[in-house]
Amino acid sequence: MLDEAHDELRLGDQVASPRSIEDAAIDWKNVARTTVLINQTFRYEYPGPIAALRQRLMVVPPDYHHDQQLVRHRLRVTGSNPDTERSRDAFGNVVLDLTLQRVEREVEFTTWIVVEREAGAGEAQSAPLAPDVRFTQPSRLTRPDAALTSVATELRSTGATGLELADLVSTRVHDHLRYEWGVTSVATTAAEAWAGGVGVCQDYAHCTLALARLCGLSARYVSGHLLGEGGTHAWVEILVPHPEHAGYLAAVPFDPTHDRRAGLRYVTVATGRDYADVAPTSGTYKGAAKGVLTTRKRATVTDVEYLGPRRTSPPA
């Protein structure tokens, strides 16, 4: 217990350490490897006591995800003493299930996570993945309507295939949607977001998934973090034939919100068919009190290795 407490304090101190490296100061095009510390808190407050709280957290990255490696993680719960079970879901994501017998007024879940990423070599760096029909079919949040089907027909008529077609899909979504908070929710479907023309990162991801699958591309939703941004982020991985393993697929990440491939600034936490598969926090409890959730997150680079001499004025 003392070792765990010391490690937790050391991780917490590292968040505020002057050794933390600001995202804007990093020469990202020249990076060979990064170490990233993520400190995330979910706080629930209730007007009265609740009982039998079963809380599910999907905030811990997998041990390995392509060129990303989980180094360590810690979870602290304040306000109650929970039973904790760690498992993996049907998509291989890490799931923390916590059972709390009683919460008087508030409970707070805080995680510290350290990951490392290395500069990869495109699709060849991706771990070989077995084909999965779940990523080729519509899900509840990505079920297309006539408007999306029409756009997919237009994109397929270009004759583009594979990653070229995926680039067209990502750009089309980026150009069609306007980024705006408060208009959509995590329950908004791709068809609804497309019709409204506005949304946030999960809406961009859902529209991209709907169009990609209509175009015959296998694709999955990604939940994680983008360094330099405050909240969690969402993007997609297009699954294409692996260049080195016949019969297997390689995952190529696309961020339609920013119309680019997702690179070293991205930390993957979980993947699934859509947001509903990878919600960071969810749960049930007994009681009439309605809880209010507030969240905090900081993701910071604590160490960087460069491929060559660091340029003093990194390009934007």
Side-chain angles (χ1 to χ4, degrees):
M1 290 295 294
L2 288 177
D3 288 342
E4 289 189 5
H6 175 74
D7 199 22
E8 179 181 292
L9 288 172
R10 185 165 60 86
L11 287 171
D13 290 342
Q14 193 176 0
V15 172
S17 170
R19 293 176 297 171
S20 298
I21 305 168
E22 293 297 325
D23 177 76
I26 298 174
D27 182 6
W28 284 104
K29 294 184 178 180
N30 190 29
V31 167
R33 185 189 62 80
T34 61
T35 302
V36 178
L37 173 65
I38 301 165
N39 177 217
Q40 193 168 17
T41 298
F42 301 91
R43 181 183 181 87
Y44 289 90
E45 296 183 65
Y46 305 92
I50 64 167
L53 172 62
R54 293 186 59 83
Q55 192 72 33
R56 167 163 287 202
L57 298 176
M58 198 174 292
V59 295
V60 178
D63 293 339
Y64 294 92
H65 186 79
H66 312 321
D67 58 17
Q68 173 186 301
Q69 179 182 357
L70 176 65
V71 178
R72 69 175 70 90
H73 76 89
R74 289 287 181 270
L75 169 67
R76 183 182 69 193
V77 181
T78 58
S80 186
N81 185 26
D83 294 324
T84 305
E85 179 182 347
R86 173 174 169 155
S87 63
R88 294 188 181 275
D89 68 3
F91 299 97
N93 301 310
V94 177
V95 178
L96 302 179
D97 285 306
L98 300 98
T99 302
L100 296 82
Q101 298 304 322
R102 183 177 174 87
V103 175
E104 294 297 332
R105 293 284 182 174
E106 59 191 39
V107 63
E108 187 173 274
F109 307 93
T110 301
T111 59
W112 289 268
I113 295 163
V114 177
V115 298
E116 292 183 350
R117 286 205 65 180
E118 295 186 5
E123 302 93 273
Q125 184 70 22
S126 172
L129 303 169
D132 190 331
V133 69
R134 293 175 297 180
F135 300 132
T136 66
Q137 299 176 342
S139 61
R140 183 177 65 84
L141 293 174
T142 65
R143 187 168 293 114
D145 61 0
L148 285 167
T149 302
S150 176
V151 174
T153 300
E154 176 191 333
L155 291 169
R156 295 188 72 166
S157 71
T158 64
T161 60
L163 294 180
E164 182 184 2
L165 180 55
D167 275 317
L168 293 178
V169 169
S170 179
T171 298
R172 184 60 178 272
V173 172
H174 174 82
D175 291 346
H176 180 80
L177 295 182
R178 183 179 77 256
Y179 195 93
E180 185 174 338
W181 277 97
V183 180
T184 61
S185 73
V186 294
T188 300
T189 66
E192 291 167 341
W194 189 265
V198 296
V200 291
C201 59
Q202 81 260 6
D203 301 302
Y204 283 74
H206 286 153
C207 289
T208 300
L209 291 171
L211 289 174
R213 291 166 182 166
L214 283 169
C215 288
L217 298 170
S218 181
R220 62 186 183 181
Y221 186 100
V222 185
S223 172
H225 307 281
L226 172 56
L227 301 179
E229 291 195 349
T232 55
H233 192 52
W235 59 99
V236 304
E237 287 181 340
I238 302 297
L239 307 178
V240 298
H242 200 288
E244 296 179 352
H245 299 273
Y248 288 87
L249 303 176
V252 181
F254 286 79
D255 181 358
T257 304
H258 297 92
D259 194 23
R260 66 190 182 199
R261 302 282 180 94
L264 288 173
R265 294 177 62 210
Y266 294 73
V267 176
T268 294
V269 172
T271 60
R273 294 164 297 184
D274 57 29
Y275 173 84
D277 287 332
V278 299
T281 181
S282 60
T284 62
Y285 60 87
K286 295 179 180 179
K290 183 175 177 60
V292 176
L293 169 66
T294 56
T295 64
R296 300 192 308 273
K297 189 206 82 175
R298 183 178 181 187
T300 182
V301 176
T302 61
D303 187 50
V304 181
E305 291 181 8
Y306 288 106
L307 295 167
R310 178 187 176 275
R311 290 166 287 197
T312 56
S313 299

